[in-house]
Amino acid sequence: MAEHNDLGKKGEKLAKEYLISEGYKLLYENWRLGRFEIDLVMQNDKNLIIVEVKTRNTMAFGPPESFVSKQQQLHLAEAVEGFFYKNPDINLEVRYDVVSVIIEEDTSKIMHFEDAFWPDNLSSFSIDI
């Protein structure tokens, strides 16, 4: 596996452990719909938390959370549409969070951004299930 994939997996693991320690319940990890993937699907009270994890080993190009593009937000929203289609028994409010992980040598820094974005332009969806 490429080094950046290893870094991403390590960041997702740290993010998952952090969220669980904060009282979130893990429902799914790396949930896929076609070419789209949701890193973590968590639950907190009556919210379905869609978590995008961004991991970097340096801040040289900016904070990891700044790399969640509008296109990626729309892809996540499309995946969520499919998630509810495939899980009709789940009736929760959706919230989109970003967890930023910076791993430098033997240290890591985790920042959790609740309700980080809400994908607009949702009327252009076409879901292939």
Side-chain angles (χ1 to χ4, degrees), residues 6-129:
D6 289 341
L7 182 68
K9 292 297 176 196
K10 187 174 182 181
E12 286 181 15
K13 181 178 185 279
L14 289 170
K16 176 182 70 174
E17 291 169 353
Y18 170 80
L19 291 170
I20 290 171
S21 76
E22 292 293 308
Y24 290 77
K25 177 183 173 188
L26 176 67
L27 300 180
Y28 294 96
E29 231 177 312
N30 304 115
W31 190 89
R32 296 191 67 81
L33 174 70
R35 66 183 192 271
F36 304 129
E37 178 182 340
I38 303 171
D39 293 335
L40 300 170
V41 179
M42 310 288 287
Q43 184 178 349
N44 187 2
D45 299 321
K46 295 183 181 201
N47 293 308
L48 182 74
I49 314 297
I50 304 305
V51 182
E52 177 63 22
V53 180
K54 288 296 185 188
T55 307
R56 299 289 185 270
N57 58 9
T58 179
M59 289 277 286
F61 300 105
E65 65 274 10
S66 69
F67 289 89
V68 182
S69 69
K70 285 287 185 189
Q71 186 67 33
Q72 188 171 23
Q73 293 174 24
L74 291 173
H75 288 172
L76 283 168
E78 196 164 343
V80 169
E81 291 272 325
F83 179 85
F84 280 117
Y85 180 82
K86 291 184 176 270
N87 297 281
D89 55 319
I90 294 179
N91 187 21
L92 300 169
E93 293 291 322
V94 176
R95 188 178 87 200
Y96 294 88
D97 289 7
V98 174
V99 175
S100 169
V101 182
I102 299 175
I103 301 172
E104 296 177 307
E105 297 182 27
D106 293 333
T107 64
S108 61
K109 179 180 178 183
I110 298 171
M111 294 187 357
H112 180 199
F113 299 90
E114 293 182 11
D115 209 7
F117 60 87
W118 184 258
D120 47 7
N121 242 355
L122 300 181
S123 60
S124 63
F125 279 173
S126 61
I127 301 172
D128 297 324
I129 308 256

